[in-house]
Amino acid sequence: MSLDETCLSNGDVYTVLTNKATHGGKGTLAAMVRGVASDTVSAILRKVPLKQRLKIKQSRQTFLRP
């Protein structure tokens, strides 16, 4: 699992949780949360089962400019 932050072309920033084991196939996107505020993201990610959350091994920031 990987936790990334990305800025879309319209200026909205999202936090994205993806499953790297699927190599871009079905089930890759686990969660997409609008914003990067820790309380908002944490509340949403707590809904993911603990066993799955413990698999997160990588966190990075990606800011794309239009």
Side-chain angles (χ1 to χ4, degrees):
M1 300 294 280
S2 175
L3 188 61
D4 302 304
E5 294 174 356
T6 188
C7 182
L8 302 181
S9 61
N10 62 359
D12 289 339
V13 180
Y14 287 85
T15 301
V16 182
L17 180 65
T18 55
N19 182 357
K20 298 294 185 180
T22 59
H23 302 287
K26 184 177 179 180
T28 298
L29 182 63
M32 188 166 185
V33 181
R34 186 176 184 180
V36 293
S38 61
D39 55 338
T40 303
V41 174
S42 294
I44 299 298
L45 294 181
R46 281 192 193 104
K47 295 180 180 181
V48 177
L50 179 61
K51 187 175 181 179
Q52 295 286 39
R53 286 186 280 149
L54 292 175
K55 293 180 181 180
I56 297 173
K57 294 182 180 180
Q58 181 180 41
S59 180
R60 63 181 176 200
Q61 292 180 341
T62 305
F63 292 101
L64 303 175
R65 295 179 191 248

